[in-house]
Amino acid sequence: MQVSYKTAPAESEYQGKHYYFCATACREQFDADPERYVRAHRQHGSRRG
């Protein structure tokens, strides 16, 4: 699901990054265990070498 930061009803910060949520309940689940939801992503356009 994609959520726009402009219209998101809930927001959280973790390790210096902002995360936006479709509902307060989703943010509460994230805040309880952020590592469950955050995983390392390759940046678009980067190459593995």
Side-chain angles (χ1 to χ4, degrees):
M1 170 184 286
Q2 291 183 350
V3 178
S4 171
Y5 71 93
K6 293 178 182 179
T7 59
E11 173 185 357
S12 187
E13 184 178 341
Y14 178 68
Q15 294 185 340
K17 293 184 179 181
H18 291 270
Y19 296 88
Y20 301 92
F21 301 91
C22 61
T24 304
C26 293
R27 186 201 62 216
E28 291 170 354
Q29 288 182 333
F30 176 85
D31 287 344
D33 187 9
E35 286 297 320
R36 179 178 177 192
Y37 301 98
V38 177
R39 50 194 143 138
H41 290 283
R42 273 192 337 162
Q43 290 183 343
H44 293 273
S46 65
R47 292 183 183 183
R48 288 187 159 170

